[in-house]
Amino acid sequence: MAAPGKLSALTAGRIKAAGMYGDGGGLWLQASGSGAKSWIFRFTLNGRSREMGLGSFSTFTLAEAREKALACRKLCAEGIDPIEARQVQRGEARLEAAKAMTFAECASAYIESHKAGWRNTKHAAQWQATLNTYANPAFGNLPVQGIDTGLVMRAIEPIWATKSETASRVRGRIEAILDWATTHGYRRGENPARWKGHLQNLLPKRSRVRRVQHHAALPYSEIAGFMVDVRSQDAIAARTLEFAILTATRTGETIGAQWSEIDLASAMWTIPAERMKGGREHRVPLSAVAIDLLAVLPGPSGGPFVFPGGRRGKPLSNMAMLELLKRMDRSDLTVHGFRSTFRDWAAETTAFASEVVEMALAHIVSDKVEAAYRRGDLLLKRRELMEAWAARCIGSGQR
């Protein structure tokens, strides 16, 4: 490698033509031809030739560029790649700066950068709410680089046995935020919130501590008598509950139903993906009983919603059916519990395949089953299922 000194400040400043102009010692001046010039250090280490940018000619003088090149040559003499050494130095500088970057700030940045890809604003609000409740009190104001296993355990261990599902979500969200911080250079090292091979050694499996709380459900043997009581109630909430039971749908899906989603000619209710828990469109074959029920409602002239609320243009309140159950002295039941009634009835008294029942409940099934559904095979079977369920609900097949 030739000693430096081939260039002078004057000649370097006069260079206009595009090309590489050597100063010696691995230092080169690169001219683009458009007037832009920069300093380059060329070196060979372990048989590998590399180029390293040393900055703009307009920023660093020839003397300063030679100092930079000298420092690089010294590293090469020690067997150290100057490019890799600079990356390490910059990473350390970012970590130093990140000492003021708290976990709470990283969490806010993570949510902001990801919320555009989430289904709705409610999801972002849920993230922030759980972090504010469980993570931030434990270490929200601490530097993200300082978050360790002990702090993560402080946030989730107190609720692991009593609120296992929430605790699992919190752990996953902390893990995601710390991974984001690591990718951005705000922290280093293993993720203390990871489950596999780490927290699983400190906490019991959720399956061993989870206390399953089933929604209060009516035995299917009592559904016909209960439906008689519901039909005797002269209230829109009663028609809504009746429809929810007949279609085995969730509260939100039922009260949000719009006339534009219902095709009376084909007896089909198509719930758009954005209103479904699973995030995918769901088609509900409507039984003859369900169609008859819709016929007694005001129809599109009463507004866009099938089950309108007290204010025009608004759906029925999500509490209306629960209030109805209270008035009927059936506070022992929940609306969601009727989906369990439907499932128990189908499993114990019919020959319908479990995949058909799961699809009727809008549960996620395998891709193979989903493909069959898209061809229409399961849709036809589900129509038979819903007609059989309607017959059970009205008792002895009488409408």
Side-chain angles (χ1 to χ4, degrees):
M1 188 176 288
K6 291 184 178 181
L7 295 175
S8 69
L10 182 62
T11 56
R14 288 177 175 176
I15 291 175
K16 302 296 183 184
M20 297 288 288
Y21 300 87
D23 181 58
L27 179 63
W28 294 77
L29 179 62
Q30 177 178 263
S32 66
S34 62
K37 291 181 284 188
S38 60
W39 299 107
I40 303 293
F41 177 68
R42 286 179 169 177
F43 64 99
T44 300
L45 189 65
N46 299 324
R48 181 186 182 191
S49 297
R50 305 193 73 183
E51 291 187 356
M52 177 179 177
L54 298 181
S56 170
F57 175 80
S58 62
T59 303
F60 298 100
T61 66
L62 174 59
E64 290 170 333
R66 285 173 176 169
E67 289 179 4
K68 285 174 171 282
L70 175 60
C72 290
R73 288 197 299 274
K74 288 181 178 180
L75 288 173
C76 288
E78 297 291 332
I80 301 173
D81 189 319
I83 295 178
E84 294 178 359
R86 183 169 65 181
Q87 290 173 342
V88 170
Q89 185 180 35
R90 288 176 175 175
E92 291 174 347
R94 282 196 297 270
L95 281 175
E96 189 66 25
K99 288 183 178 179
M101 188 74 165
T102 66
F103 175 84
E105 290 170 338
C106 287
S108 296
Y110 177 93
I111 293 171
E112 184 64 29
S113 63
H114 284 78
K115 66 180 182 181
W118 290 336
R119 282 195 300 142
N120 50 52
T121 56
K122 182 180 179 181
H123 191 59
Q126 290 172 340
W127 264 69
Q128 193 65 66
T130 55
L131 293 172
N132 287 342
T133 302
Y134 302 106
N136 287 343
F139 48 76
N141 293 326
L142 296 180
V144 69
Q145 174 60 26
I147 307 303
D148 59 16
T149 303
L151 289 171
V152 174
M153 288 289 288
R154 185 187 298 177
I156 64 175
E157 189 173 24
I159 59 171
W160 192 257
T162 57
K163 300 178 180 179
S164 60
E165 185 172 351
T166 298
S168 181
R169 286 200 188 103
V170 172
R171 184 210 61 77
R173 289 167 183 176
I174 293 172
E175 181 182 18
I177 292 165
L178 294 181
D179 277 343
W180 177 91
T182 300
T183 302
H184 281 74
Y186 297 139
R187 63 173 282 117
R188 280 184 181 171
E190 295 289 340
N191 193 319
R194 71 187 186 282
W195 175 255
K196 191 173 182 180
H198 187 55
L199 291 185
Q200 70 175 123
N201 299 322
L202 302 176
L203 295 165
K205 292 182 179 180
R206 284 180 56 206
S207 59
R208 294 181 180 178
V209 300
R210 183 175 57 187
R211 300 174 182 175
V212 179
Q213 294 183 348
H214 295 288
H215 292 279
L218 184 77
Y220 59 81
S221 59
E222 301 176 17
I223 188 65
F226 177 81
M227 289 292 273
V228 171
D229 293 340
V230 172
R231 287 197 296 273
S232 69
Q233 302 292 316
D234 185 17
I236 188 65
R239 305 290 79 74
T240 310
L241 178 59
E242 188 180 352
F243 190 77
I245 294 172
L246 289 169
T247 56
T249 49
R250 301 177 179 90
T251 296
E253 297 157 6
T254 305
I255 63 175
Q258 299 190 36
W259 289 108
S260 59
E261 300 170 357
I262 294 178
D263 185 346
L264 293 174
S266 61
M268 187 70 68
W269 174 25
T270 303
I271 310 175
E274 59 268 23
R275 290 209 305 105
M276 293 299 301
K277 181 179 180 180
R280 61 174 64 183
E281 180 185 280
H282 180 53
R283 292 190 293 173
V284 182
L286 297 175
S287 63
V289 177
I291 292 294
D292 289 346
L293 186 156
L294 293 175
V296 304
L297 298 176
S301 61
F305 292 100
V306 176
F307 304 104
R311 297 172 57 188
R312 183 173 179 79
K314 297 292 183 180
L316 191 70
S317 165
N318 61 357
M319 294 298 294
M321 288 185 283
L322 282 177
E323 292 298 324
L324 172 70
L325 289 171
K326 289 180 182 179
R327 292 196 300 273
M328 294 173 62
D329 293 326
R330 294 309 306 261
S331 297
D332 57 314
L333 302 176
T334 67
V335 179
H336 198 89
F338 289 103
R339 286 166 55 85
S340 296
T341 303
F342 168 79
R343 178 189 283 172
D344 293 344
W345 162 81
E348 297 179 21
T349 69
T350 78
F352 289 101
S354 60
E355 291 87 351
V356 177
V357 179
E358 291 300 296
M359 188 69 74
L361 291 165
H363 288 164
I364 301 299
V365 295
S366 69
D367 292 339
K368 184 177 180 180
V369 174
E370 176 70 11
Y373 164 66
R374 291 304 176 189
R375 289 197 304 271
D377 299 344
L378 288 187
L379 187 61
L380 295 176
K381 293 177 181 178
R382 288 200 295 116
R383 186 174 292 282
E384 295 176 7
L385 172 65
M386 301 317 290
E387 288 290 355
W389 172 239
R392 180 69 187 223
C393 287
I394 63 174
S396 303
Q398 298 177 357
R399 290 208 302 275

